Amino acid sequence: IAGLANQTLTVTTTDFTPAGATSVATEPYTLTADDKGNAYLYGIFAEGATVTVKKGDVTLKDYTFTAEKNPNGTEHNKSYALDATPVIDGTLGGKTEATDAEVEDLVQQLKDYVDSGITTIIVTGAEPALIDVSGIIMPAVSEAIYRLTDSGSYDENNPYNGKIDLILQDVTEIMALEFYTAFALNSITLPKVTTIGDQAFQGCYYLKRITFGSVVTSIVQENGVTFVVGDKVDGCDLVLNCGQLEAEDTYKPDLENKVWFKPSWGGNVTWKSITLTHTGECDECKALQ
């Protein structure tokens, strides 16, 4: 069962006979994933058997060993993998537009996740479903994260402040205002993002880490600051692809002074720390090849 590292899961089965047993299991299992996010069940699932993986009250995966896919059930000496990571489809099933009701459903899903101890949220989809909020176009999931803490009024006691570690798996661009005052964010990982819109992270007072997997080539800062190194968390750690060292001056990090990005009107954006992920793109990496 593939999930998140060190996560405790409840696994309920039907028609599953544990290894070494002569009868089917009747009680649920409590499993803890290892450092790679894997948990294991050993035994045999009959044809039509089911497995349900939950974290707290949230169901992460339901699976049935159907006759079509698994005639006669699982085979001896063969492993089967079940993905039970907490994933949200950012396209909402392939949609380009989202309704307000769908965003509210996402807010409830996020609350259920956090209330059950699931704080790492993976969002898939390179072209997310969008919603028009008072003339501002926003990805539906991002709007839900904003609403999770009712960020229209700052409340330092909100239980969802700084609770979400967001992974935007497929997007290449963060839109203008996308995470403006998104107090729920604790960290955000952006494997493919190369473009950041105006004021995208302004007011993210609980954001402690931003991780970029690709080299950022465009940051817009026109109507306000794009990054806030929030005083609520004494700054934000930054992780960059080592290829960022080869970027033009505006986007090249100054590691000694912990500076990355120089706005057009002057000054620098200073971070709590800047570290590099070595991907083979910087001179140091090339020297080792």
Side-chain angles (χ1 to χ4, degrees):
I1 300 169
L4 299 177
N6 305 310
Q7 179 176 243
T8 300
L9 304 169
T10 300
V11 181
T12 304
T13 62
T14 63
D15 293 324
F16 169 68
T17 304
T22 56
S23 59
V24 298
T26 58
E27 298 296 325
Y29 293 87
T30 299
L31 305 178
T32 300
D34 59 22
D35 290 342
K36 295 182 178 180
N38 297 316
Y40 300 91
L41 277 178
Y42 297 95
I44 299 171
F45 286 92
E47 181 182 304
T50 64
V51 55
T52 299
V53 183
K54 300 181 76 173
K55 171 64 176 176
D57 294 328
V58 175
T59 298
L60 297 175
K61 193 73 173 183
D62 276 319
Y63 185 80
T64 301
F65 290 85
T66 62
E68 179 182 0
K69 292 182 178 180
N70 303 98
N72 302 316
T74 54
E75 299 179 24
H76 289 282
N77 301 317
K78 183 176 180 180
S79 298
Y80 297 79
L82 186 67
D83 187 355
T85 50
V87 174
I88 293 176
D89 176 9
T91 71
L92 305 183
K95 295 183 177 181
T96 57
E97 297 182 7
T99 65
D100 193 75
E102 287 172 325
V103 172
E104 286 300 316
D105 287 343
L106 286 171
V107 173
Q108 187 58 55
Q109 184 177 0
L110 290 170
K111 286 183 177 179
D112 291 343
Y113 275 173
V114 174
D115 291 346
S116 295
I118 301 170
T119 56
T120 299
I121 310 296
I122 301 169
V123 177
T124 59
E127 298 181 2
L130 304 176
I131 185 168
D132 186 330
V133 183
S134 302
I136 300 174
I137 305 301
M138 195 72 57
V141 175
S142 302
E143 174 64 13
I145 290 172
Y146 166 83
R147 294 186 189 184
L148 181 61
T149 51
D150 188 22
S151 301
S153 58
Y154 179 74
D155 177 6
E156 64 180 10
N157 296 315
N158 191 296
Y160 299 104
N161 284 343
K163 285 292 169 51
I164 290 182
D165 297 304
L166 184 66
I167 301 173
L168 294 182
Q169 191 166 282
D170 303 308
V171 298
T172 59
E173 177 180 359
I174 301 300
M175 301 177 67
L177 298 168
E178 183 165 344
F179 294 106
Y180 184 90
T181 63
F183 299 152
L185 286 182
N186 177 68
S187 71
I188 185 166
T189 300
L190 308 165
K192 298 181 181 179
V193 165
T194 60
T195 301
I196 304 167
D198 194 28
Q199 303 178 80
F201 296 101
Q202 184 173 343
C204 292
Y205 292 123
Y206 292 88
L207 184 58
K208 296 179 181 177
R209 180 179 293 265
I210 303 179
T211 301
F212 291 97
S214 298
V215 175
V216 178
T217 56
S218 177
I219 299 174
V220 179
Q221 186 157 290
E222 296 175 345
N223 299 310
V225 296
T226 296
F227 301 106
V228 167
V229 183
D231 57 358
K232 302 297 180 184
V233 293
D234 298 320
C236 181
D237 294 313
L238 177 67
V239 180
L240 297 172
N241 184 313
C242 71
Q244 204 72 50
L245 292 172
E246 311 304 313
E248 62 176 278
D249 187 56
T250 299
Y251 304 110
K252 182 177 180 177
D254 177 351
L255 301 180
E256 182 178 353
N257 295 302
K258 304 175 185 177
V259 168
W260 183 58
F261 185 57
K262 301 175 181 179
S264 58
W265 56 70
N268 300 308
V269 179
T270 303
W271 302 78
K272 183 180 180 183
S273 72
I274 301 178
T275 56
L276 300 176
T277 300
H278 285 281
T279 62
E281 298 184 49
C282 70
D283 287 341
E284 180 182 341
C285 289
K286 293 173 183 177
L288 296 174
Q289 292 177 356

